[in-house]
Amino acid sequence: MSHEFPLHMETTDQASFNSRKRAIIVTRFTSHDETATLPVEDLNCDINDDTLIWIEITGDGSDLLADVSRQLGVSQSLVDRVCNLHGCPWIDSDGDEYAICALAADHLGDLEFEGIPLYLLAGRNYVITIHPKPLAFLENLRAREGRRSQVATLTADSFVASLLSWHLDTYFAAASDFERSVERLEESVLRDPASESVKGLRRLRKGASRLRRMLSAHRVVFTSMARPDFRPDAADKSERHFRALYEQYERAMDVIENARELVIGSFELFSNQVALQTNGTMRVLTFITVVIGFQTVVAGILGMNFDAPFFKTQGAGFWLAVGVMGVMAVLAGVLGRWRRWI
């Protein structure tokens, strides 16, 4: 399907639900403004050069995938690998067909990130997506396109590139959530470093490491798609889309790496604030030590065994000495506040 044509999207919910809430949605993009039900049994009869079929399977859909793959004639080796539900990102091909496993980032809250597997099977004019949990960006894609889609010039390769681009957007969104958490933590550190800052820094570091591990594992997928030998017989448009997708992946990696640097910056801010508090405490303690030292000198002088007239004043002399030391302490405190020593 290399030529250009306006595309119309038709969506039909298939009656494939059971106790595990499995679902299959068949979407047909066609150049004709027509509405038609597309049963799974007729998939192999409905695909032509003017049609792009998108089949979305949610939940444990191994048996559904087997039925669909038989209708479309999908490579059994690719189907078997998808059915293994191996959660790490991978890519495999068999002739003109290929399969991809990617992990979409899902923010569970409190900087806990989960990778939701997204499996894609693509061939001539069809794309199959399988995911065990609902993916918000796929729902947004359907809601955006609606029944009167304005999508144009779509091949199966370009549609796969579009889906993976939306998949990468989940990492950009996760990075945005992460940056907002960093800002809130830094405000808390500036207010009170002794609050839950250490726990917050631990959550930040864990979240940044989790995002980086999840995204960096996709390098094998996007580098393979950007190589010329991945789809040597495909149109130049597919190669451009795959290269643009690889560049978007590199930008996503830069954003996630920047998130890790933000954690380092937050830790340095926390360390500086603690150091400032420690310096302030030590300055106050030093000032108090100096004041007490002056008073100790006075007390030492008064404790010397000389027969001076002052020592014969008895109680009056004692209270006079205490008063002098008190005045010294007050004057020292005023001087310290004025010079900002304390």
Side-chain angles (χ1 to χ4, degrees):
M1 191 176 61
S2 59
H3 56 281
E4 298 184 2
F5 49 83
L7 295 176
H8 176 59
M9 185 178 74
E10 303 159 3
T11 303
T12 36
D13 294 339
Q14 305 299 313
S16 296
F17 293 88
N18 64 6
S19 59
R20 288 175 292 180
K21 296 183 179 179
R22 296 175 303 171
I24 178 172
I25 301 178
V26 179
T27 304
R28 182 175 68 175
F29 299 90
T30 176
S31 59
H32 307 291
D33 289 337
E34 60 182 10
T35 302
T37 301
L38 184 60
V40 175
E41 296 78 9
D42 296 336
L43 282 175
N44 59 345
C45 301
D46 201 81
I47 298 181
N48 52 56
D49 288 340
D50 291 339
T51 303
L52 174 64
I53 301 296
W54 174 23
I55 303 166
E56 183 182 5
I57 301 175
T58 304
D60 183 10
S62 300
D63 53 346
L64 297 177
L65 177 60
D67 294 339
V68 170
S69 62
R70 281 194 298 269
Q71 296 294 323
L72 297 176
V74 182
S75 169
Q76 188 59 42
S77 62
L78 297 180
V79 174
D80 291 341
R81 185 162 187 185
V82 170
C83 290
N84 287 335
L85 299 178
H86 192 268
C88 295
W90 52 263
I91 185 170
D92 197 1
S93 62
D94 187 353
D96 292 337
E97 300 172 330
Y98 56 94
I100 298 171
C101 174
L103 298 177
D106 183 26
H107 189 190
L108 303 178
D110 201 20
L111 295 180
E112 292 287 339
F113 298 99
E114 177 188 15
I116 301 179
L118 170 64
Y119 302 92
L120 297 100
L121 273 168
R124 180 179 173 272
N125 298 343
Y126 74 84
V127 176
I128 305 173
T129 57
I130 307 99
H131 44 95
K133 294 182 179 180
L135 292 173
F137 71 89
L138 291 182
E139 298 175 0
N140 293 338
L141 176 61
R142 291 187 180 279
R144 186 191 69 177
E145 298 303 333
R147 293 185 57 84
R148 302 288 297 180
S149 173
Q150 299 299 316
V151 179
T153 323
L154 277 181
T155 64
D157 290 341
S158 61
F159 189 66
V160 167
S162 177
L163 291 176
L164 289 177
S165 177
W166 280 68
H167 151 265
L168 286 176
D169 284 344
T170 63
Y171 287 89
F172 287 109
S176 297
D177 293 342
F178 186 88
E179 290 172 359
R180 285 191 289 269
S181 297
V182 169
E183 292 175 358
R184 288 193 294 267
L185 178 64
E186 290 181 347
E187 291 176 359
S188 175
V189 168
L190 291 174
R191 287 194 304 267
D192 182 13
S195 60
E196 299 294 319
S197 300
V198 175
K199 293 181 179 179
L201 286 170
R202 188 183 301 116
R203 287 194 299 269
L204 285 178
R205 184 183 181 280
K206 182 179 178 181
S209 299
R210 172 65 170 162
L211 280 177
R212 187 183 183 280
R213 288 196 304 270
M214 287 169 53
L215 185 58
S216 61
H218 291 83
R219 186 173 298 276
V220 63
V221 174
F222 293 103
T223 54
S224 298
M225 297 179 72
R227 294 192 184 105
D229 60 344
F230 175 63
R231 299 281 287 161
D233 298 331
D236 292 340
K237 184 182 298 184
S238 298
E239 184 177 354
R240 291 198 303 270
H241 288 167
F242 290 152
R243 289 189 179 276
L245 186 64
Y246 176 76
E247 293 174 359
Q248 184 182 3
Y249 168 74
E250 289 295 334
R251 290 196 300 271
M253 282 297 302
D254 291 340
V255 169
I256 298 303
E257 289 291 349
N258 181 64
R260 297 185 67 195
E261 294 177 1
L262 289 177
V263 176
I264 297 175
S266 298
F267 180 77
E268 291 178 351
L269 176 64
F270 171 75
S271 300
N272 291 337
Q273 288 297 110
V274 171
L276 286 174
Q277 281 195 345
T278 302
N279 290 339
T281 302
M282 294 302 299
R283 187 167 57 245
V284 171
L285 291 176
T286 301
F287 182 80
I288 293 174
T289 301
V290 171
V291 172
I292 294 176
F294 278 121
Q295 294 178 342
T296 302
V297 170
V298 173
I301 293 174
L302 296 178
M304 298 174 68
N305 294 323
F306 288 99
D307 191 13
F310 176 78
F311 296 105
K312 298 179 180 179
T313 57
Q314 299 181 352
F318 169 78
W319 289 112
L320 178 62
V322 171
V324 170
M325 289 189 287
V327 170
M328 288 177 57
V330 172
L331 293 176
V334 172
L335 178 63
R337 295 294 293 179
W338 177 59
R339 297 297 300 271
R340 295 185 179 179
W341 294 338
I342 58 175

